[in-house]
Coordinates of all heavy atoms in Angstrom, one line a residue:
M1 N 31.4 -16.3 -14.8 CA 31.9 -15.5 -13.7 C 31.2 -14.1 -13.6 O 31.0 -13.6 -12.5 CB 33.5 -15.3 -14.0 CG 34.2 -15.0 -12.7 SD 34.0 -16.2 -11.5 CE 35.5 -16.3 -10.8
R2 N 31.0 -13.4 -14.7 CA 30.3 -12.1 -14.8 C 28.9 -12.3 -14.2 O 28.5 -11.4 -13.5 CB 30.3 -11.6 -16.2 CG 31.5 -11.0 -16.7 CD 31.5 -10.8 -18.1 NE 31.3 -9.4 -18.4 CZ 31.1 -8.9 -19.6 NH1 31.0 -9.7 -20.6 NH2 31.1 -7.6 -19.8
L3 N 28.3 -13.4 -14.6 CA 26.9 -13.6 -14.2 C 26.8 -13.8 -12.7 O 25.9 -13.2 -12.0 CB 26.3 -14.8 -14.9 CG 24.9 -15.1 -14.6 CD1 24.0 -13.9 -14.9 CD2 24.4 -16.3 -15.4
A4 N 27.7 -14.5 -12.1 CA 27.8 -14.8 -10.7 C 28.0 -13.5 -9.9 O 27.3 -13.3 -8.9 CB 28.8 -15.8 -10.3
S5 N 28.9 -12.7 -10.4 CA 29.1 -11.4 -9.7 C 27.9 -10.4 -9.8 O 27.6 -9.7 -8.9 CB 30.4 -10.7 -10.2 OG 30.3 -10.4 -11.6
A6 N 27.3 -10.5 -11.0 CA 26.1 -9.6 -11.1 C 25.0 -10.1 -10.2 O 24.3 -9.3 -9.6 CB 25.7 -9.6 -12.6
L7 N 24.9 -11.4 -10.1 CA 23.8 -12.0 -9.1 C 24.1 -11.6 -7.7 O 23.2 -11.2 -7.0 CB 23.7 -13.4 -9.3 CG 23.0 -13.9 -10.6 CD1 23.1 -15.4 -10.7 CD2 21.6 -13.5 -10.6
R8 N 25.4 -11.6 -7.3 CA 25.8 -11.3 -5.9 C 25.4 -9.8 -5.7 O 24.9 -9.5 -4.6 CB 27.3 -11.6 -5.7 CG 27.5 -13.0 -5.3 CD 28.9 -13.2 -4.8 NE 29.9 -12.9 -5.8 CZ 30.4 -13.8 -6.7 NH1 30.0 -15.1 -6.6 NH2 31.3 -13.5 -7.5
A9 N 25.8 -9.0 -6.6 CA 25.5 -7.6 -6.5 C 24.0 -7.2 -6.4 O 23.5 -6.5 -5.5 CB 26.1 -6.8 -7.6
E10 N 23.3 -7.9 -7.2 CA 21.7 -7.7 -7.2 C 21.2 -8.2 -5.8 O 20.3 -7.6 -5.3 CB 21.1 -8.4 -8.4 CG 19.7 -8.3 -8.4 CD 19.2 -6.9 -8.9 OE1 20.1 -6.2 -9.5 OE2 18.1 -6.4 -8.5
K11 N 21.7 -9.4 -5.4 CA 21.3 -9.9 -4.1 C 21.6 -9.0 -3.0 O 20.8 -8.8 -2.1 CB 21.9 -11.3 -3.9 CG 21.5 -11.9 -2.6 CD 22.1 -13.3 -2.4 CE 21.7 -14.0 -1.1 NZ 22.4 -15.2 -0.9
A12 N 22.7 -8.3 -3.0 CA 23.1 -7.3 -1.9 C 22.2 -6.2 -1.9 O 21.7 -5.7 -0.8 CB 24.6 -6.9 -2.1
V13 N 21.8 -5.7 -3.1 CA 20.8 -4.6 -3.2 C 19.5 -5.0 -2.6 O 18.9 -4.2 -1.8 CB 20.7 -4.1 -4.7 CG1 19.6 -3.2 -4.8 CG2 22.0 -3.6 -5.2
V14 N 19.0 -6.1 -2.9 CA 17.7 -6.6 -2.5 C 17.7 -6.8 -1.0 O 16.8 -6.4 -0.2 CB 17.3 -7.9 -3.2 CG1 16.1 -8.5 -2.6 CG2 17.0 -7.6 -4.7
E15 N 18.8 -7.3 -0.4 CA 18.9 -7.6 1.0 C 19.0 -6.2 1.8 O 18.3 -6.1 2.8 CB 20.1 -8.4 1.3 CG 19.9 -9.9 1.0 CD 21.2 -10.7 1.2 OE1 22.3 -10.2 1.4 OE2 21.1 -12.0 1.1
N16 N 19.6 -5.3 1.2 CA 19.7 -3.9 1.9 C 18.3 -3.3 1.9 O 17.9 -2.7 2.9 CB 20.7 -3.0 1.1 CG 22.1 -3.2 1.5 OD1 22.4 -3.7 2.6 ND2 23.0 -2.8 0.7
R17 N 17.6 -3.4 0.8 CA 16.2 -2.9 0.7 C 15.3 -3.6 1.8 O 14.5 -2.9 2.4 CB 15.7 -3.1 -0.7 CG 14.3 -2.5 -0.9 CD 14.3 -1.0 -0.8 NE 12.9 -0.5 -1.0 CZ 12.3 0.4 -0.3 NH1 13.0 1.1 0.6 NH2 11.1 0.8 -0.6
L18 N 15.5 -4.9 1.9 CA 14.7 -5.6 2.9 C 15.0 -5.2 4.3 O 14.1 -5.0 5.2 CB 14.9 -7.1 2.8 CG 14.2 -7.8 1.7 CD1 14.6 -9.3 1.5 CD2 12.7 -7.8 1.9
K19 N 16.3 -4.9 4.7 CA 16.7 -4.4 5.9 C 16.0 -3.1 6.2 O 15.5 -2.8 7.3 CB 18.2 -4.3 6.0 CG 18.9 -5.6 6.2 CD 20.4 -5.4 6.3 CE 21.2 -6.7 6.1 NZ 22.6 -6.5 6.1
Q20 N 16.0 -2.2 5.2 CA 15.4 -0.9 5.4 C 13.9 -1.0 5.7 O 13.4 -0.3 6.6 CB 15.6 0.0 4.1 CG 17.0 0.4 3.9 CD 17.2 1.1 2.6 OE1 16.3 1.2 1.8 NE2 18.4 1.6 2.3
L21 N 13.3 -1.9 4.9 CA 11.9 -2.0 5.1 C 11.5 -2.6 6.5 O 10.5 -2.2 7.1 CB 11.2 -2.9 4.0 CG 11.2 -2.3 2.6 CD1 10.8 -3.4 1.6 CD2 10.3 -1.2 2.6
R22 N 12.3 -3.6 6.9 CA 12.1 -4.2 8.2 C 12.3 -3.1 9.4 O 11.5 -3.1 10.3 CB 13.1 -5.4 8.5 CG 12.7 -6.6 7.8 CD 13.5 -7.7 8.2 NE 13.3 -8.9 7.3 CZ 14.2 -9.5 6.5 NH1 15.4 -9.0 6.6 NH2 13.9 -10.4 5.7
R23 N 13.3 -2.3 9.3 CA 13.6 -1.2 10.2 C 12.4 -0.3 10.3 O 11.9 0.1 11.4 CB 14.8 -0.5 9.9 CG 16.0 -1.0 10.6 CD 17.2 -0.1 10.5 NE 18.1 -0.8 9.6 CZ 18.6 -0.3 8.5 NH1 18.5 1.0 8.2 NH2 19.4 -1.0 7.7
R24 N 11.9 0.1 9.1 CA 10.8 1.0 9.0 C 9.5 0.4 9.6 O 8.8 1.1 10.4 CB 10.5 1.4 7.6 CG 9.5 2.6 7.5 CD 9.2 2.9 6.0 NE 10.5 3.4 5.4 CZ 10.6 3.4 4.1 NH1 9.6 3.0 3.3 NH2 11.8 3.8 3.5
A25 N 9.3 -0.9 9.4 CA 8.1 -1.6 9.9 C 8.2 -1.7 11.5 O 7.2 -1.6 12.2 CB 8.0 -3.0 9.3
E26 N 9.4 -1.9 12.0 CA 9.6 -2.1 13.4 C 9.4 -0.7 14.1 O 8.9 -0.6 15.2 CB 11.0 -2.6 13.7 CG 11.1 -4.0 13.4 CD 12.5 -4.5 13.5 OE1 13.5 -3.7 13.8 OE2 12.8 -5.7 13.3
T27 N 9.8 0.4 13.5 CA 9.7 1.7 14.1 C 8.4 2.3 14.1 O 8.1 3.3 14.8 CB 10.7 2.7 13.6 OG1 10.5 2.8 12.2 CG2 12.2 2.1 13.8
Q28 N 7.4 1.9 13.2 CA 6.2 2.5 13.0 C 5.0 1.6 13.1 O 4.0 1.7 12.5 CB 6.1 3.1 11.6 CG 7.1 4.2 11.3 CD 7.1 4.6 9.9 OE1 6.5 4.1 9.1 NE2 7.8 5.7 9.6
P29 N 4.9 0.6 14.1 CA 3.7 -0.2 14.2 C 2.5 0.6 14.7 O 1.4 0.3 14.3 CB 4.1 -1.3 15.2 CG 5.2 -0.7 16.0 CD 5.9 0.2 15.0
A30 N 2.8 1.6 15.6 CA 1.6 2.3 16.2 C 1.0 3.2 15.1 O -0.3 3.3 15.0 CB 2.1 3.2 17.4
A31 N 1.8 3.8 14.3 CA 1.3 4.7 13.2 C 0.5 3.8 12.2 O -0.6 4.3 11.7 CB 2.4 5.4 12.5
R32 N 0.9 2.6 11.9 CA 0.3 1.8 11.0 C -1.1 1.3 11.6 O -2.1 1.3 10.9 CB 1.1 0.6 10.6 CG 0.7 0.0 9.3 CD 1.7 -1.1 8.8 NE 2.9 -1.2 9.7 CZ 3.5 -2.3 10.1 NH1 3.0 -3.4 9.6 NH2 4.5 -2.3 10.8
A33 N -1.2 1.0 12.9 CA -2.4 0.6 13.5 C -3.4 1.8 13.5 O -4.6 1.5 13.2 CB -2.1 0.1 14.9
A34 N -2.9 2.9 13.8 CA -3.8 4.1 13.8 C -4.4 4.4 12.3 O -5.6 4.7 12.2 CB -3.1 5.3 14.2
K35 N -3.5 4.2 11.4 CA -4.0 4.4 10.0 C -5.0 3.4 9.6 O -6.1 3.7 9.0 CB -2.8 4.3 9.0 CG -3.1 4.7 7.6 CD -1.9 4.6 6.7 CE -2.2 4.9 5.3 NZ -1.1 4.7 4.4
S36 N -4.9 2.1 10.0 CA -5.8 1.1 9.6 C -7.2 1.2 10.3 O -8.2 1.0 9.7 CB -5.3 -0.3 9.8 OG -5.1 -0.5 11.3
S37 N -7.2 1.7 11.6 CA -8.4 1.9 12.2 C -9.1 3.1 11.7 O -10.3 3.2 11.6 CB -8.2 2.1 13.7 OG -7.5 3.3 14.0
R38 N -8.4 4.1 11.2 CA -9.0 5.3 10.6 C -9.6 5.0 9.3 O -10.7 5.4 9.0 CB -7.9 6.4 10.4 CG -8.4 7.7 10.0 CD -7.3 8.8 10.1 NE -6.1 8.5 9.3 CZ -4.9 8.4 10.0 NH1 -4.8 8.6 11.2 NH2 -3.9 8.1 9.2
A39 N -9.0 4.1 8.6 CA -9.5 3.7 7.2 C -10.8 2.9 7.5 O -11.6 2.9 6.6 CB -8.4 2.9 6.5
A40 N -10.8 2.1 8.5 CA -12.0 1.3 8.8 C -13.2 2.2 9.1 O -14.3 1.8 8.8 CB -11.8 0.3 9.9
K41 N -13.0 3.4 9.7 CA -14.1 4.2 10.1 C -14.6 5.1 9.0 O -15.8 5.3 8.9 CB -13.6 5.2 11.3 CG -13.3 4.5 12.6 CD -12.8 5.4 13.6 CE -12.4 4.7 14.9 NZ -11.8 5.5 15.8
S42 N -13.7 5.5 8.1 CA -14.2 6.4 7.0 C -13.5 5.9 5.7 O -12.5 6.5 5.4 CB -13.9 7.9 7.3 OG -12.4 8.0 7.4
P43 N -14.1 5.1 5.0 CA -13.5 4.6 3.7 C -13.5 5.7 2.7 O -14.5 6.5 2.7 CB -14.3 3.4 3.3 CG -15.7 3.6 4.0 CD -15.4 4.4 5.3
D44 N -12.5 5.8 1.9 CA -12.5 6.8 0.9 C -13.0 6.3 -0.5 O -12.3 6.1 -1.4 CB -11.0 7.2 0.7 CG -10.5 7.9 1.9 OD1 -11.2 8.4 2.7 OD2 -9.2 8.1 2.0
R45 N -14.3 6.0 -0.4 CA -15.0 5.4 -1.6 C -15.8 6.6 -2.2 O -16.3 7.4 -1.5 CB -15.8 4.2 -1.3 CG -15.1 3.1 -0.8 CD -16.0 1.9 -0.5 NE -16.9 1.6 -1.6 CZ -17.8 0.8 -1.6 NH1 -18.1 0.1 -0.6 NH2 -18.6 0.5 -2.7
R46 N -16.0 6.5 -3.5 CA -16.9 7.5 -4.1 C -18.3 7.1 -3.8 O -18.7 5.9 -3.6 CB -16.6 7.5 -5.6 CG -17.1 6.3 -6.4 CD -16.8 6.5 -7.9 NE -17.2 5.4 -8.7 CZ -18.4 5.3 -9.2 NH1 -19.3 6.2 -9.1 NH2 -18.7 4.3 -10.0
P47 N -19.2 8.1 -3.7 CA -20.6 7.8 -3.4 C -21.3 7.2 -4.6 O -21.1 7.6 -5.8 CB -21.2 9.2 -3.1 CG -20.3 10.1 -3.7 CD -18.9 9.6 -3.7
Y48 N -22.1 6.2 -4.4 CA -22.8 5.6 -5.5 C -24.2 6.0 -5.4 O -24.8 6.1 -4.3 CB -22.7 4.0 -5.3 CG -21.4 3.5 -5.6 CD1 -20.4 3.3 -4.7 CD2 -21.0 3.2 -7.0 CE1 -19.1 2.8 -4.9 CE2 -19.8 2.7 -7.3 CZ -18.8 2.6 -6.3 OH -17.6 2.1 -6.6
P49 N -24.9 6.1 -6.5 CA -26.4 6.5 -6.5 C -27.2 5.4 -6.0 O -26.8 4.2 -6.1 CB -26.7 6.8 -8.0 CG -25.6 6.0 -8.7 CD -24.4 6.0 -7.9
A50 N -28.3 5.7 -5.5 CA -29.3 4.7 -5.0 C -29.8 3.9 -6.2 O -30.0 4.4 -7.3 CB -30.5 5.3 -4.3
V51 N -29.9 2.6 -5.9 CA -30.4 1.6 -7.0 C -31.9 1.6 -6.9 O -32.4 1.2 -5.9 CB -29.7 0.2 -6.8 CG1 -30.1 -0.7 -8.0 CG2 -28.2 0.4 -6.8
V52 N -32.5 1.7 -8.1 CA -34.0 1.7 -8.1 C -34.4 0.2 -8.1 O -33.9 -0.6 -8.9 CB -34.5 2.4 -9.4 CG1 -35.9 2.3 -9.5 CG2 -34.0 3.8 -9.4
P53 N -35.4 -0.1 -7.3 CA -35.9 -1.5 -7.4 C -36.5 -1.9 -8.7 O -37.2 -1.1 -9.3 CB -37.0 -1.6 -6.3 CG -37.1 -0.2 -5.7 CD -36.1 0.6 -6.3
K54 N -36.4 -3.1 -9.1 CA -36.9 -3.6 -10.4 C -37.9 -4.7 -10.2 O -38.7 -4.9 -11.1 CB -35.7 -4.2 -11.2 CG -34.7 -3.2 -11.6 CD -33.6 -3.9 -12.4 CE -32.5 -2.8 -12.8 NZ -31.3 -3.4 -13.3
Y55 N -38.0 -5.3 -9.1 CA -38.9 -6.4 -8.8 C -39.7 -6.2 -7.5 O -39.1 -5.6 -6.5 CB -38.2 -7.7 -8.8 CG -37.4 -8.0 -10.0 CD1 -36.0 -7.7 -10.0 CD2 -38.0 -8.5 -11.2 CE1 -35.3 -8.0 -11.2 CE2 -37.3 -8.7 -12.3 CZ -35.9 -8.5 -12.3 OH -35.2 -8.7 -13.5
R56 N -40.9 -6.5 -7.5 CA -41.8 -6.3 -6.3 C -42.5 -7.6 -6.0 O -43.0 -8.3 -6.9 CB -42.7 -5.1 -6.5 CG -43.7 -4.9 -5.3 CD -44.5 -3.7 -5.4 NE -43.7 -2.7 -4.9 CZ -43.5 -1.5 -5.7 NH1 -44.0 -1.3 -6.8 NH2 -42.7 -0.6 -5.1
N57 N -42.6 -7.9 -4.7 CA -43.3 -9.0 -4.2 C -44.9 -8.7 -4.2 O -45.3 -7.8 -3.6 CB -43.0 -9.4 -2.7 CG -43.6 -10.7 -2.3 OD1 -44.5 -11.2 -2.9 ND2 -43.2 -11.1 -1.1
P58 N -45.7 -9.4 -5.0 CA -47.1 -9.0 -5.1 C -47.9 -9.2 -3.8 O -48.8 -8.6 -3.5 CB -47.6 -9.9 -6.2 CG -46.7 -11.0 -6.4 CD -45.4 -10.4 -5.9
D59 N -47.4 -10.2 -2.9 CA -48.0 -10.5 -1.7 C -47.7 -9.4 -0.6 O -48.5 -9.1 0.2 CB -47.6 -11.9 -1.1 CG -48.0 -13.0 -2.1 OD1 -49.0 -12.8 -2.8 OD2 -47.2 -14.0 -2.2
R60 N -46.5 -8.9 -0.6 CA -46.0 -7.9 0.3 C -45.3 -6.8 -0.6 O -44.2 -6.8 -0.9 CB -45.0 -8.4 1.3 CG -45.6 -9.3 2.3 CD -44.6 -9.6 3.3 NE -45.1 -10.2 4.4 CZ -44.4 -10.8 5.4 NH1 -43.1 -10.8 5.3 NH2 -45.0 -11.4 6.4
P61 N -46.1 -5.8 -1.0 CA -45.6 -4.8 -1.9 C -44.3 -4.0 -1.3 O -43.6 -3.4 -2.1 CB -46.7 -3.8 -2.2 CG -47.9 -4.6 -1.9 CD -47.5 -5.6 -0.8
S62 N -44.2 -4.0 0.0 CA -43.0 -3.4 0.5 C -41.7 -4.1 0.3 O -40.6 -3.5 0.4 CB -43.2 -3.1 2.0 OG -43.2 -4.4 2.7
E63 N -41.8 -5.3 -0.1 CA -40.6 -6.1 -0.4 C -40.2 -6.0 -1.9 O -41.0 -6.3 -2.7 CB -40.8 -7.6 -0.1 CG -41.0 -7.9 1.4 CD -41.2 -9.4 1.6 OE1 -41.5 -10.1 0.7 OE2 -41.1 -9.8 2.8
T64 N -39.1 -5.3 -2.1 CA -38.6 -5.1 -3.4 C -37.1 -5.6 -3.6 O -36.5 -5.9 -2.6 CB -38.7 -3.6 -3.8 OG1 -37.8 -2.9 -2.9 CG2 -40.0 -3.1 -3.7
W65 N -36.7 -5.7 -4.8 CA -35.4 -6.2 -5.1 C -34.9 -5.5 -6.4 O -35.6 -5.3 -7.3 CB -35.4 -7.7 -5.3 CG -34.0 -8.3 -5.6 CD1 -32.9 -8.2 -4.8 CD2 -33.7 -9.2 -6.6 NE1 -31.8 -8.8 -5.3 CE2 -32.3 -9.5 -6.4 CE3 -34.3 -9.7 -7.7 CZ2 -31.7 -10.4 -7.3 CZ3 -33.7 -10.6 -8.5 CH2 -32.3 -10.9 -8.4
A66 N -33.7 -5.0 -6.3 CA -33.1 -4.2 -7.4 C -32.4 -5.1 -8.4 O -32.0 -4.6 -9.5 CB -32.1 -3.2 -6.9
G67 N -32.4 -6.4 -8.2 CA -31.7 -7.3 -9.2 C -30.2 -7.5 -9.0 O -29.6 -8.1 -9.7
R68 N -29.8 -6.9 -7.8 CA -28.4 -7.1 -7.5 C -28.2 -7.9 -6.3 O -29.1 -7.9 -5.4 CB -27.7 -5.7 -7.2 CG -27.6 -4.8 -8.4 CD -27.0 -3.6 -8.1 NE -26.8 -2.7 -9.2 CZ -26.2 -1.6 -9.2 NH1 -25.6 -1.1 -8.1 NH2 -26.1 -0.9 -10.3
G69 N -27.1 -8.7 -6.2 CA -26.9 -9.5 -5.0 C -27.7 -10.8 -5.1 O -28.2 -11.2 -6.1
K70 N -27.8 -11.4 -3.9 CA -28.5 -12.7 -3.8 C -30.0 -12.5 -4.1 O -30.6 -11.5 -3.6 CB -28.3 -13.3 -2.4 CG -28.7 -14.7 -2.3 CD -28.2 -15.3 -1.0 CE -28.7 -16.7 -0.9 NZ -28.4 -17.4 0.4
T71 N -30.6 -13.5 -4.7 CA -32.1 -13.4 -5.0 C -32.8 -13.6 -3.7 O -32.5 -14.5 -2.9 CB -32.5 -14.5 -6.0 OG1 -31.6 -14.5 -7.1 CG2 -33.9 -14.4 -6.4
P72 N -33.8 -12.7 -3.4 CA -34.5 -12.8 -2.2 C -35.4 -14.1 -2.1 O -35.7 -14.7 -3.1 CB -35.4 -11.6 -2.1 CG -35.4 -11.0 -3.5 CD -34.2 -11.5 -4.2
R73 N -35.6 -14.5 -0.9 CA -36.4 -15.8 -0.6 C -37.7 -15.8 -1.3 O -38.1 -16.8 -1.8 CB -36.5 -16.0 0.9 CG -35.1 -16.4 1.5 CD -35.3 -16.6 3.0 NE -34.1 -16.9 3.6 CZ -33.8 -16.9 4.9 NH1 -34.8 -16.7 5.7 NH2 -32.6 -17.2 5.3
W74 N -38.4 -14.7 -1.2 CA -39.8 -14.6 -1.7 C -39.8 -14.8 -3.2 O -40.6 -15.5 -3.8 CB -40.5 -13.3 -1.3 CG -39.8 -12.0 -1.9 CD1 -39.0 -11.3 -1.2 CD2 -40.0 -11.4 -3.2 NE1 -38.6 -10.2 -1.9 CE2 -39.2 -10.3 -3.1 CE3 -40.7 -11.8 -4.3 CZ2 -39.1 -9.4 -4.3 CZ3 -40.6 -10.9 -5.4 CH2 -39.8 -9.8 -5.4
L75 N -38.7 -14.3 -3.9 CA -38.7 -14.4 -5.3 C -38.2 -15.8 -5.7 O -38.7 -16.5 -6.6 CB -37.7 -13.4 -5.9 CG -37.5 -13.4 -7.4 CD1 -38.9 -13.2 -8.1 CD2 -36.6 -12.3 -7.9
T76 N -37.3 -16.4 -5.0 CA -36.8 -17.8 -5.2 C -38.0 -18.8 -5.1 O -38.2 -19.7 -5.9 CB -35.7 -18.2 -4.2 OG1 -34.7 -17.2 -4.3 CG2 -35.2 -19.6 -4.5
A77 N -38.8 -18.6 -4.0 CA -40.0 -19.5 -3.9 C -41.0 -19.3 -5.0 O -41.5 -20.3 -5.5 CB -40.7 -19.2 -2.5
Q78 N -41.2 -18.1 -5.5 CA -42.2 -17.9 -6.5 C -41.6 -18.5 -7.9 O -42.4 -19.1 -8.6 CB -42.5 -16.4 -6.7 CG -43.1 -15.7 -5.6 CD -44.6 -16.1 -5.6 OE1 -45.2 -16.6 -6.5 NE2 -45.3 -15.7 -4.5
L79 N -40.3 -18.4 -8.1 CA -39.7 -18.9 -9.3 C -39.8 -20.5 -9.3 O -40.0 -21.1 -10.3 CB -38.3 -18.5 -9.5 CG -38.1 -17.0 -9.7 CD1 -36.6 -16.6 -9.7 CD2 -38.8 -16.6 -11.1
K80 N -39.6 -21.1 -8.2 CA -39.8 -22.5 -8.1 C -41.1 -23.0 -8.3 O -41.4 -24.1 -8.7 CB -39.3 -23.0 -6.7 CG -37.7 -22.9 -6.5 CD -37.3 -23.5 -5.2 CE -35.8 -23.5 -5.0 NZ -35.4 -24.0 -3.8
S81 N -42.2 -22.1 -7.9 CA -43.5 -22.6 -8.2 C -44.0 -22.4 -9.6 O -45.1 -22.7 -9.9 CB -44.4 -21.8 -7.2 OG -44.5 -20.4 -7.6
G82 N -43.0 -21.9 -10.5 CA -43.4 -21.9 -11.9 C -43.6 -20.5 -12.5 O -43.8 -20.4 -13.7
R83 N -43.5 -19.5 -11.7 CA -43.7 -18.1 -12.2 C -42.4 -17.6 -12.8 O -41.3 -18.2 -12.6 CB -44.1 -17.2 -11.1 CG -45.4 -17.7 -10.4 CD -46.4 -16.8 -9.8 NE -46.6 -15.5 -10.3 CZ -47.1 -14.5 -9.6 NH1 -47.3 -14.7 -8.3 NH2 -47.3 -13.3 -10.0
R84 N -42.5 -16.5 -13.6 CA -41.4 -16.0 -14.3 C -40.9 -14.7 -13.7 O -41.7 -14.0 -13.0 CB -41.7 -15.8 -15.8 CG -42.1 -17.0 -16.6 CD -42.5 -16.8 -17.9 NE -43.4 -15.6 -18.1 CZ -43.3 -14.8 -19.1 NH1 -42.5 -14.9 -20.0 NH2 -44.2 -13.7 -19.1
M85 N -39.6 -14.3 -13.9 CA -39.1 -13.1 -13.4 C -39.9 -11.8 -13.9 O -40.2 -10.9 -13.1 CB -37.7 -12.9 -13.8 CG -36.7 -13.7 -13.1 SD -36.3 -13.1 -11.5 CE -34.9 -12.1 -11.8
D86 N -40.4 -11.9 -15.1 CA -41.1 -10.7 -15.6 C -42.4 -10.5 -14.9 O -43.0 -9.4 -15.0 CB -41.3 -10.9 -17.1 CG -40.1 -10.6 -17.9 OD1 -39.2 -10.0 -17.4 OD2 -40.0 -11.2 -19.1
D87 N -43.0 -11.6 -14.2 CA -44.2 -11.4 -13.5 C -44.1 -10.4 -12.3 O -45.0 -9.9 -11.9 CB -44.7 -12.7 -13.0 CG -45.0 -13.7 -14.1 OD1 -45.2 -13.3 -15.3 OD2 -45.0 -14.9 -13.8
F88 N -42.8 -10.2 -11.9 CA -42.5 -9.4 -10.7 C -41.9 -8.0 -11.0 O -41.6 -7.2 -10.2 CB -41.7 -10.1 -9.7 CG -42.2 -11.5 -9.3 CD1 -41.7 -12.6 -10.0 CD2 -43.2 -11.6 -8.4 CE1 -42.2 -13.9 -9.7 CE2 -43.8 -12.9 -8.2 CZ -43.3 -14.0 -8.8
R89 N -41.7 -7.8 -12.3 CA -41.0 -6.6 -12.7 C -41.9 -5.4 -12.5 O -43.1 -5.4 -12.7 CB -40.7 -6.7 -14.2 CG -39.8 -5.5 -14.7 CD -39.3 -5.7 -16.1 NE -38.4 -6.8 -16.3 CZ -37.1 -6.8 -16.1 NH1 -36.6 -5.6 -15.6 NH2 -36.4 -7.8 -16.3
I90 N -41.2 -4.3 -12.0 CA -42.0 -3.1 -11.7 C -42.0 -2.3 -13.0 O -40.9 -2.1 -13.6 CB -41.3 -2.3 -10.5 CG1 -41.3 -3.1 -9.3 CG2 -41.9 -0.9 -10.3 CD1 -40.5 -2.5 -8.1
R91 N -43.1 -1.8 -13.4 CA -43.2 -1.0 -14.6 C -43.0 0.4 -14.2 O -43.9 1.0 -13.5 CB -44.6 -1.2 -15.2 CG -45.1 -2.6 -15.4 CD -44.4 -3.2 -16.6 NE -44.9 -4.6 -16.8 CZ -44.1 -5.6 -17.0 NH1 -42.8 -5.5 -16.9 NH2 -44.5 -6.8 -17.1
H92 N -41.9 1.0 -14.6 CA -41.6 2.4 -14.3 C -42.2 3.3 -15.4 O -42.1 3.0 -16.6 CB -40.1 2.6 -14.3 CG -39.5 1.9 -13.1 ND1 -39.6 2.4 -11.8 CD2 -38.7 0.9 -13.0 CE1 -39.0 1.6 -11.0 NE2 -38.3 0.6 -11.7
A93 N -42.6 4.4 -15.0 CA -43.1 5.4 -15.9 C -41.9 6.0 -16.6 O -41.0 6.6 -16.0 CB -43.9 6.5 -15.2
A94 N -41.9 6.0 -17.9 CA -40.7 6.5 -18.6 C -40.7 8.0 -18.9 O -41.4 8.7 -19.0 CB -40.5 5.8 -19.9

């Protein structure tokens, strides 16, 4: 009996909270839409440093890859032909 009354009381609290949230959501749809469009225009992310390229295409030296993301087509083709990743590594002056 105590458990049933405790559950009813908890259910009433949760239902009241849901009603409040629904009322708030109904009264502020324009403000929410403005906030989401503003967030899309200027994300609040920290600035990341530029990533230095680690690999260079010997056939076209302007094509480089930093080793992040999807492997470029030129490197995939070279690797399939039997070459190794180290063959394309850029030697940086330390």
Side-chain angles (χ1 to χ4, degrees):
M1 200 58 140
R2 286 169 105 183
L3 183 58
S5 63
L7 287 174
R8 276 193 296 272
E10 184 70 25
K11 183 178 176 185
V13 170
V14 171
E15 287 175 348
N16 280 336
R17 182 70 178 136
L18 281 173
K19 285 179 188 175
Q20 290 173 355
L21 290 173
R22 283 189 191 117
R23 264 189 256 129
R24 189 179 302 159
E26 289 171 358
T27 59
Q28 299 176 347
R32 206 172 350 142
K35 184 178 178 183
S36 66
S37 67
R38 187 171 52 242
K41 291 179 185 173
S42 61
D44 295 341
R45 293 181 55 185
R46 69 179 181 92
Y48 289 94
V51 181
V52 179
K54 295 178 184 169
Y55 303 97
R56 174 170 282 129
N57 185 355
D59 300 331
R60 288 186 169 169
S62 64
E63 293 181 346
T64 58
W65 183 51
R68 294 185 177 184
K70 190 173 180 180
T71 309
R73 291 180 183 166
W74 61 264
L75 184 55
T76 304
Q78 294 283 353
L79 293 174
K80 284 183 181 177
S81 69
R83 301 208 36 203
R84 297 179 314 144
M85 283 284 265
D86 286 338
D87 298 340
F88 306 100
R89 187 173 296 274
I90 298 172
R91 309 285 180 229
H92 292 287

